[in-house]
Structures are given as structure tokens and as C-alpha cells.
Amino acid sequence: MSLPKTLADDVARNLVMVAQLIDEDPEQAYAYSRIALRLASRVAAVREAAGFAAYATQKYAEALAEFRAARRMTGGVDLWPVMADCERGLGRPERAMAMAGEPEVQKLDKAGQVEMRLVAAGARRDMGQIDAAIVTLQSPELASNSVQPWTARLRYAYADALLSAGREDEAREWFGKTIEADKDGATDASDRLAELDGVEFVDAMGEDEDEDEPATVAETGAEVEADVDSDSDSDGDIDSDIDDEIEAEAETAPDDEIEVQADDKNSHDKG
């Protein structure tokens, strides 16, 4: 749906703040997402951003409700893996496994399918099926020498699963392969490998350096909440509707979307 220009600008500013803060300050990103929701709850991009902000703060029931709302609005399947991971976060790995076997997975692009594989492997581990998790991660994408955006995370998950299964030598090998693919340092594979090799890192500077570091000033959550309060009078009814919808979504099992049938076949990780 289209929004008046002034309102659209306000929504856009809040979404930009969500994107900028979601990694370093997820709670504040979540606060900005709530402002955007109050301004434009019927915009799919707003519901999706609110879902990711809730997901980043481990509010999995709320995140799942927002992702479902966004999916209804767009009809797309891109959010399917993160929706399944929300089920894991809610302690329902069997539902995540059921989603891994749904037709929606075949409609995902390659990155989405790899993400779904990571989620499914995580669900297997949640259920204590470590060997099945290892097999789930074994795929052409894992074996490929080509480095893709998902390669480091896939290799890391495989190495971690191997280590959990007591296969230390193989885990060491795959942590090494993770480092080769992880040019941006997105994982802690180097630390894990060093730990396996018995290497300990000591901070020679100690606490003195920390004491000399100048403090930084950041916008506080209170300022964000002030913005929320300033909008509450005019948008109270909409916010109430949103909260009611989230509560209803969280309490209702998605029977119309997922038929919970755990896939016993051997077919990430937010692990």
C-alpha cells in the first residue's frame, strides 16, 4: 500500500535505524521497529523489519507473528527458513523439521535452501539427533570449493556438529576450512580451532587500556521510548490491534500452514 509522503518519510527513517542498529543494539532496533509498526502496520516491509527486530531480541512468538503477516501480504516464501527457526526458538523443533519438508522449500533460491538446511540441522540437534544433523549438513554446497555468502556458516555448523559428536580431528579440519571462507570474520572459527589446539590468548594490556578508553555517547533507549510515547495518543488503536494480532498468532498453532509431520529422512547455526 502507498503512504502519504510525510508519513512514508517517517516510516523510512525508522526502518533505516532498525537496519543500522539490529546487530549492535537489537533492543534499540526493536524500539524503532515498534514506532514503524504504529505508523504503518499494513506495509509488508514494516512487518518484516519488525519480525527481524523481534527475532534479534529473541522474542520468537512475536517475530513469527510478524513474519506470517508479511508473508500473507506478499505471498512470498523468502521468510520460510527464519519462520522455521522461530519454531526452534519456541522449543518446537519438530515443527521446524516439518517445515523443512514442505513444498515452499523448493521455491527458495539457493541461499534460502542452504539456510533451511542449517535450520533443519539445528532442529535435529535440538532433538538430540547429532548424527542426523551431520548428515543433513552434508550437501553439494558443503563439498564445493566455491566460496559463497553462506559457505563459512555452513562449514562452521558442520565443524561444530562434528565436534559435538566427538569427531575432533574432522572438526579441526572443517574449522580450518571455515577460516578459509570467512574473510570477514563473521564466525569465531579461528578461536574454536585455537582452543582445539590448546592455544590460549592473553590480553597483555590488561585493564589499564580499558580505563583509558574514552566513553562514547549513544542515543539511549529512553529517547526512542519518548518517540513512541509521542505517537501513542494518535496511534493507540492501531498498536492495540497489532498487539492483539501478535498474541493471537502466537497462541494459535499454524495448522493451516504446516501439518506437523516430522521427516524421518536425513534431509545454520540464528545454532
Side-chain angles (χ1 to χ4, degrees):
M1 65 180 292
S2 59
L3 298 173
K5 186 179 186 307
T6 301
L7 180 57
D9 289 344
D10 289 343
V11 171
R13 279 194 291 270
N14 282 285
L15 293 184
V16 167
M17 293 306 298
V18 172
Q20 290 180 347
L21 294 169
I22 196 164
D23 291 328
E24 62 185 52
D25 193 345
E27 289 291 346
Q28 194 167 346
Y30 174 77
Y32 277 109
S33 76
R34 295 298 299 179
I35 298 174
L37 267 179
R38 293 186 180 196
L39 295 173
S41 64
R42 293 174 179 83
V43 175
V46 171
R47 303 306 289 262
E48 182 174 333
F52 278 110
Y55 178 82
T57 54
Q58 299 183 5
K59 297 176 176 67
Y60 296 117
E62 184 174 333
L64 186 56
E66 296 298 347
F67 290 142
R68 286 180 186 157
R71 183 168 178 262
R72 283 197 301 269
M73 293 174 182
T74 65
V77 297
D78 292 351
L79 296 172
W80 196 254
V82 71
M83 289 170 63
D85 207 38
C86 286
E87 295 287 6
R88 285 186 61 213
L90 290 168
R92 302 189 296 233
E94 71 285 350
R95 290 190 180 178
M97 283 306 306
M99 291 181 71
E102 291 293 323
E104 282 81 356
V105 177
Q106 302 306 315
K107 301 175 185 177
L108 294 168
D109 61 14
K110 180 61 68 177
Q113 291 182 7
V114 171
E115 192 66 33
M116 192 70 241
R117 187 177 293 276
L118 287 165
V119 173
R124 290 289 191 191
R125 294 188 65 171
D126 294 343
M127 295 186 287
Q129 301 171 4
I130 185 63
D131 291 334
I134 290 172
V135 173
T136 298
L137 292 167
Q138 293 171 345
S139 63
E141 294 79 20
L142 179 67
S144 175
N145 291 324
S146 173
V147 175
Q148 302 294 335
W150 59 77
T151 302
R153 292 179 59 237
L154 185 59
R155 292 179 180 180
Y156 183 92
Y158 189 60
D160 190 51
L162 289 169
L163 187 60
S164 295
R167 296 160 61 174
E168 186 172 309
D169 290 341
E170 293 172 86
R172 181 182 286 103
E173 176 187 356
W174 280 95
F175 278 129
K177 291 183 177 182
T178 301
I179 294 170
E180 294 174 2
D182 190 9
K183 304 303 182 184
D184 298 328
T187 73
D188 64 348
S190 58
D191 293 340
R192 299 291 300 275
L193 185 58
E195 182 181 349
L196 284 172
D197 290 337
V199 177
E200 293 184 10
F201 296 97
V202 178
D203 184 1
M205 300 301 293
E207 297 179 358
D208 293 339
E209 186 178 76
D210 294 336
E211 292 174 358
D212 294 336
E213 249 183 61
T216 58
V217 179
E219 183 179 8
T220 66
E223 294 177 53
V224 177
E225 289 302 325
D227 289 338
V228 173
D229 291 341
S230 68
D231 289 326
S232 61
D233 291 338
S234 60
D235 297 301
D237 293 338
I238 292 177
D239 190 54
S240 177
D241 292 341
I242 295 169
D243 291 337
D244 290 344
E245 180 180 345
I246 290 172
E247 183 177 353
E249 290 272 15
E251 292 178 355
T252 304
D255 294 335
D256 59 338
E257 294 184 15
I258 305 169
E259 181 176 356
V260 181
Q261 296 176 344
D263 184 358
D264 291 330
K265 295 181 181 179
N266 293 327
S267 13
H268 246 300
D269 313 20
K270 175 247 220 120

